[in-house]
Amino acid sequence: MSQIVVAVDGPAGSGKSSVSKAAAAQLGFGYLDTGAGYRALTLTALKNNLELDSVGELDLVQIFPYEISTDPANYFVRVGDEDLTLGIRSKEVELNVSRVAAQPKVRAFMREITRSIANGCKSPGIIVEGRDITTVVLPDAKTRVLLTASEEVRLGRRSVDLQSDGSISAQVSDRDKKDSKVVDFLNPAPGVLLLDTTELSFEGSVSALVDLINR
Ligand code: DC
């Protein structure tokens, strides 16, 4: 296992993925995007016409040969022979991923995958980001951070990410609302540091996260 495990949670558009990835690159750490697993499973289910709301009942080891890079300089997501790095960002996935992420069996499966990837990472440290990493997946991580920003700023950051088509803001708020019924990623659990990036630039947010890790 990487010696230093850093857990980062936060809502959509908080910038946690790009900030965590840049901080990992700066520190020479690995980087693990756990949302990608839920997205890749959703896309796999859509491609194979599986029933999204009961995908957790299937043999996930069998239908979902998942692979994700932990190298912040070479990010990719694969399922079997297929590269899904770009496909998992599609609008269809964005609209449906909460249905998949709400299923306890899917969450248990992803929890084990995440722990095993973090365990296998050879870097001196790893930053693992998602929604339930500080609380459920890696509650013993050396540094645990809830990275957030005001709703207005989050919607702005997200629309830049997604090439806004006018409905993005509603989609992001809607997804956060659904997701936060399953796990609380809006309030820091006891012992979790709050990093509010509302007033910070991207570089400022990366430095602030690196400072918290170095502290
Ligand atoms: O971080 P993201 O937007 O790529 O996450 C995609 C979805 O996956 C999001 O709607 C919530 C879910 N998710 C989760 O439930 N738990 C995690 N640890 C990470 C993501």
Side-chain angles (χ1 to χ4, degrees):
M1 165 100 102
S2 294
Q3 285 176 331
I4 304 163
V5 178
V6 179
V8 177
D9 285 328
S14 58
K16 69 183 159 39
S17 302
S18 40
V19 169
S20 298
K21 194 197 267 185
Q26 222 175 78
L27 291 161
F29 283 14
Y31 159 71
L32 180 54
D33 164 12
T34 63
Y38 292 93
R39 288 171 178 268
L41 180 57
T42 304
L43 184 53
T44 302
L46 287 167
K47 277 173 181 271
N48 293 290
N49 290 317
L50 304 175
E51 180 46 61
L52 282 180
D53 295 308
S54 57
V55 75
E57 302 304 320
L58 302 174
D59 181 352
L60 295 177
V61 176
Q62 179 76 27
I63 66 156
F64 189 59
Y66 181 60
E67 196 191 339
I68 184 166
S69 155
T70 53
D71 177 356
N74 178 31
Y75 175 87
F76 64 80
V77 174
R78 288 191 198 122
V79 174
D81 295 337
E82 261 193 289
D83 189 307
L84 301 186
T85 311
L86 295 177
I88 60 167
R89 306 290 154 195
S90 72
K91 188 171 168 187
E92 214 187 353
V93 170
E94 192 82 20
L95 287 173
N96 288 296
V97 64
S98 301
R99 291 167 64 187
V100 171
Q103 297 166 47
K105 285 185 181 167
V106 170
R107 304 201 68 78
F109 177 77
M110 291 298 175
R111 185 185 63 219
E112 293 316 310
I113 284 191
T114 303
R115 287 179 181 161
S116 133
I117 297 172
N119 259 317
C121 180
K122 301 281 188 290
S123 309
I126 185 166
I127 303 182
V128 184
E129 59 93 355
R131 302 288 192 291
D132 59 348
I133 310 304
T134 61
T135 49
V136 178
V137 180
L138 298 167
D140 299 327
K142 197 165 179 103
T143 307
R144 292 183 299 151
V145 178
L146 185 79
L147 194 151
T148 190
S150 71
E151 184 161 9
E152 200 186 348
V153 165
R154 288 195 277 121
L155 293 178
R157 288 178 186 166
R158 200 64 184 189
S159 59
V160 172
D161 283 359
L162 288 174
Q163 298 175 4
S164 174
D165 65 355
S167 62
I168 294 299
S169 301
Q171 278 171 31
V172 171
S173 307
D174 192 44
R175 191 153 64 87
D176 272 345
K177 229 175 272 163
K178 285 183 197 152
D179 293 338
S180 61
K181 281 187 197 147
V182 183
V183 266
D184 182 4
F185 49 80
L186 299 172
N187 304 292
V192 175
L193 306 165
L194 182 67
L195 176 54
D196 185 345
T197 64
T198 305
E199 307 286 340
L200 299 179
S201 63
F202 176 71
E203 290 75 19
S205 305
V206 176
S207 304
L209 179 58
V210 168
D211 284 350
L212 288 180
I213 295 166
N214 284 334
R215 222 189 262 171

